[in-house]
Amino acid sequence: MIERAQYTPGPASGAQMRKQEGQNWTLILVRELRHSPEKVWQALTDPAHLRDWAPFDADGSLGTAGAKVKLTTVGAPSPHITETTVTRADAPKALEYKWGGNDMRWELEPLGSGTRLTLWTSINRHFIAMGAAGWHICFDVLDHLLSGSPIGRIVGPEAMKFGGWQRLNAEYAKQFGVETPAWPPSAPKH
């Protein structure tokens, strides 16, 4: 494992948002990885790989349509478990399920010897910049993992304390034209 102190995320990039009805928007993140779709697919579906980079742990494989899997959010103040059913698993091209009530759609497209990975996820508009910053770091961690130089998972409250996350959160907020919510949230004023 390389020293985490050596890791600095690049500038905010590869993200878009689409407004939906109400408070939920769609966050779209695109990352080009130097690894085959088959290798990326395994990292997206295998519980052992997910533990190394994703913001949740899975108690089973996400690689089979109809599979019922429990996803446990890492670093949540109290255990947040989502019981999900994989609604689409077309290896190594497309994967769909819900996490925390939000739709998750992954698409893997061959790109030379690598993969263009696209994530569509529904997210509350107040947290879209935070979500983009978090997934940006997760994708960086995934890329390091697949390259054989893991830096360890950086998610949840740990990620929010990470200097690179604060910068990314502000950059994505500016890019999306949204306010950056104070984090951690302050107590309500009476």
Side-chain angles (χ1 to χ4, degrees), residues 69-103:
V69 181
K70 287 182 184 174
L71 304 177
T72 303
T73 302
V74 176
S78 59
H80 185 264
I81 299 171
T82 299
E83 293 188 19
T84 193
T85 301
V86 178
T87 53
R88 182 175 179 200
D90 181 10
K93 298 176 184 174
L95 177 65
E96 295 179 17
Y97 54 90
K98 285 189 181 286
W99 173 46
N102 296 317
D103 295 325

Side-chain angles (χ1 to χ4, degrees), residues 20 68 97:
Q20 297 178 6
K68 296 191 183 308
Y97 54 90

Side-chain angles (χ1 to χ4, degrees), residues 11 24 51 72 78 92 100 107 118 135-136 152 160 162 168 176 190:
N24 272 356
R51 273 191 295 277
T72 303
S78 59
E107 290 191 4
T118 305
W135 281 112
H136 181 118
M160 293 175 190
F162 185 69
L168 285 169
F176 296 148
H190 299 286

